[in-house]
Amino acid sequence: MAKKKTKRMAIRWTSTGSLAGRDRLTRQEMLDGVPGPDDVRIAFAIPGEADAVTTLLKAAADDLEAGHLEALARGECGTWLLDALSGADLGKRLVRAGASGELQPAAGELSLPLVAREDDGQVVGALLGVPSGTIVSGLARLPGGRR
């Protein structure tokens, strides 16, 4: 079987130039948002936006994982990723989650909920990046000593 090739792409919004040449965003920049195309700000979704995010995502896809959207409403979606921007070690957290059988909540905490907000705060776009099911299921199958 041929090996699947993946293409890595850096985010660059050339219309504003705000992210060109940046290595990484800070936690605060993710929360505050960064300038995006068409005068919107791209930011981390907050629990109060869960209904708008759910509506937009359901319009785009019919196979959404309800657990991720519920985690967003509870303020748990993406929390590990925000912590990682402040230097937290995700590997240790993932190992602990796998060892304790808590991989489903970990998947929500490793998801990336983003929104596009207009100046008035209205959510006009949403993206939910989720960890690969292959990775999560692979961790679940490891013997306890190898997690």
Side-chain angles (χ1 to χ4, degrees):
M1 183 193 298
K3 204 174 192 183
K4 182 179 174 183
K5 291 184 180 183
T6 59
K7 184 188 279 189
R8 294 180 185 244
M9 184 172 69
I11 297 174
R12 297 176 68 90
W13 289 303
T14 55
S15 63
T16 63
S18 63
L19 294 181
R22 295 282 309 266
D23 287 337
R24 68 178 355 183
L25 294 172
T26 66
R27 176 188 178 96
Q28 196 59 50
E29 287 171 325
M30 283 296 298
L31 294 170
D32 294 340
V34 295
D38 299 326
D39 296 323
V40 299
R41 291 192 71 77
I42 309 299
F44 193 82
I46 58 174
E49 297 169 329
D51 289 340
V53 169
T54 300
T55 299
L56 287 166
L57 292 176
K58 284 186 177 180
D62 59 1
D63 62 345
L64 292 175
E65 176 77 33
H68 296 293
L69 300 172
E70 292 164 2
L72 175 59
R74 290 189 308 267
E76 298 169 357
C77 191
T79 54
W80 286 9
L81 296 179
L82 284 178
D83 291 346
L85 291 174
S86 298
D89 183 347
L90 293 184
K92 289 179 182 177
R93 289 182 176 184
L94 194 52
V95 167
R96 280 195 302 268
S100 66
E102 297 292 322
L103 287 174
Q104 187 61 40
E109 292 162 342
L110 284 169
S111 297
L112 178 61
L114 296 177
V115 293
R117 288 189 200 112
E118 291 186 328
D119 288 337
D120 63 2
Q122 181 180 355
V123 175
V124 294
L127 176 136
L128 181 61
V130 298
S132 164
T134 304
I135 292 171
V136 174
S137 65
L139 286 168
R141 288 191 304 265
L142 287 175
R146 294 187 52 207
R147 287 188 176 148

